Amino acid sequence: MTAPTTAPHPGAGPAAERNGVTVAVDGTDAGLRAARWAADEAAARGGPLTLVHAAPYAAGSAGSLRAHASRILARAYTVAHRHAPDVPAHTVLLDQDPLAALVETSRETARLGGLLVLGLAGTGHAGDALVGSLALDLVSRAHGPVVVVPRTGNPGGPVVAAVGDPVAELGVLTQAHRAAARRGVRLEVVHAAHSASEGADTRDALERVLQTLALARPEVVASVEVVRERPYEAVVERSGSAGLLVVGPGRGHRHLLGSITRTAIRLAGCPVLVAIPEPGSPDEAR
């Protein structure tokens, strides 16, 4: 089904559909960049696209502000439709605080097997910390996978997965393998080793996991690279030529992200999939 050529009037929901992609837009170029990426992802999944704008509005001035929100959604819809005209899409206005609304939306996208996407403005410099605060706060509280789009990367490039412990981060490998299959690209798994012996053991473990994953998706060509660089240096360096970087949340407990994840979100040269465990997955029970 082809999406309508004009933006539909924004509804109150749902903000997620089964196997769909939901993208949060805010009127910025970063939001439009995320909308284009999300449209491509929806096309790859064969699912629908939902464009969401979330903001609280005071009762006395709701009319003009809602009109502004509708224009934000209409522009994002137009950009997404022109980029992927065959993807069915609709717009949703959430009259809530952005963080609270998107955390709840992440619960729904995860439950329905979908994905939440968020743009990130900035140049990668230290001064961009405030710009990225919503993305970091959302990812740290999300209930399922989230993609942050700081830069477009190389759309035809490989999926790069940064993995520490193959057992603890099985979800990272699984989601990365699935993403590579959808895109028809190779999967490159990178592990930063502390020592030669640890690197050899981890390589063996990663290759065994990839062999198991290949039983379901044998078309994916995968490789393992063990490096002795600092983990964040290896991640950022390889993201420049990648189409997607996949990392785990790396948090010890809720609301904390690992340093590699924070670095990836702020400095990666391509979209970053934070592979938060999906509901009912073995990783979620850890």
Side-chain angles (χ1 to χ4, degrees):
M1 179 176 69
T2 301
T5 56
T6 57
H9 184 74
E17 296 188 62
R18 185 162 298 281
N19 196 39
V21 178
T22 297
V23 57
V25 297
D26 57 1
T28 65
D29 288 343
L32 296 178
R33 182 171 62 241
R36 285 189 289 269
W37 189 91
D40 279 338
E41 178 68 13
R45 289 170 173 251
L49 174 67
T50 303
L51 299 111
V52 171
H53 177 64
Y57 294 97
S61 56
S64 61
L65 289 174
R66 285 182 182 276
H68 176 65
S70 294
R71 287 192 294 271
I72 288 175
L73 285 167
R75 185 184 180 202
Y77 178 93
T78 299
V79 167
H81 173 69
R82 288 177 177 171
H83 191 70
D86 294 330
V87 173
H90 72 283
T91 61
V92 174
L93 174 59
L94 299 177
D95 194 6
Q96 298 172 257
D97 170 78
L99 179 58
L102 295 177
V103 169
E104 183 56 33
T105 298
S106 76
R107 186 192 303 274
E108 287 303 297
T109 55
R111 182 178 66 84
L112 295 170
L115 184 68
L116 179 59
V117 179
L118 182 72
L120 177 63
T123 61
H125 297 302
D128 293 328
L130 289 177
V131 175
S133 61
L134 175 60
L136 292 170
D137 287 344
L138 171 60
V139 171
S140 70
R141 292 165 170 78
H143 296 276
V146 176
V147 168
V148 180
V149 186
R151 295 167 185 80
T152 54
N154 175 11
V159 172
V160 174
V163 179
D165 184 337
V167 175
E169 297 185 285
L170 177 60
V172 174
L173 289 168
T174 301
Q175 293 187 43
H177 200 271
R178 192 184 304 158
R182 273 198 296 264
R183 289 163 175 74
V185 299
R186 69 186 185 277
L187 169 61
E188 298 179 357
V189 180
V190 179
H191 171 75
H194 299 293
S195 66
S197 59
E198 182 266 328
D201 291 343
T202 301
R203 179 192 293 276
D204 291 342
L206 287 169
E207 290 178 344
R208 287 195 297 271
V209 172
L210 290 174
Q211 289 171 3
T212 301
L213 293 173
L215 296 176
R217 300 178 182 86
E219 71 277 15
V220 175
V221 176
S223 62
V224 177
E225 181 182 9
V226 176
V227 299
R228 294 295 300 275
E229 305 168 62
R230 294 178 180 178
Y232 66 85
E233 291 177 346
V235 166
V236 172
E237 177 185 350
R238 284 154 183 79
S239 70
S241 59
L244 181 69
L245 172 65
V246 186
V247 297
R251 57 194 178 199
H253 50 84
R254 196 145 179 83
H255 297 180
L256 288 180
L257 294 176
S259 60
I260 303 303
T261 307
R262 294 195 304 272
T263 300
I265 289 173
R266 286 178 171 149
L267 300 181
C270 67
V272 179
L273 167 58
V274 184
I276 297 165
E278 297 166 323
S281 70
D283 284 2
E284 187 186 42
R286 292 183 190 280

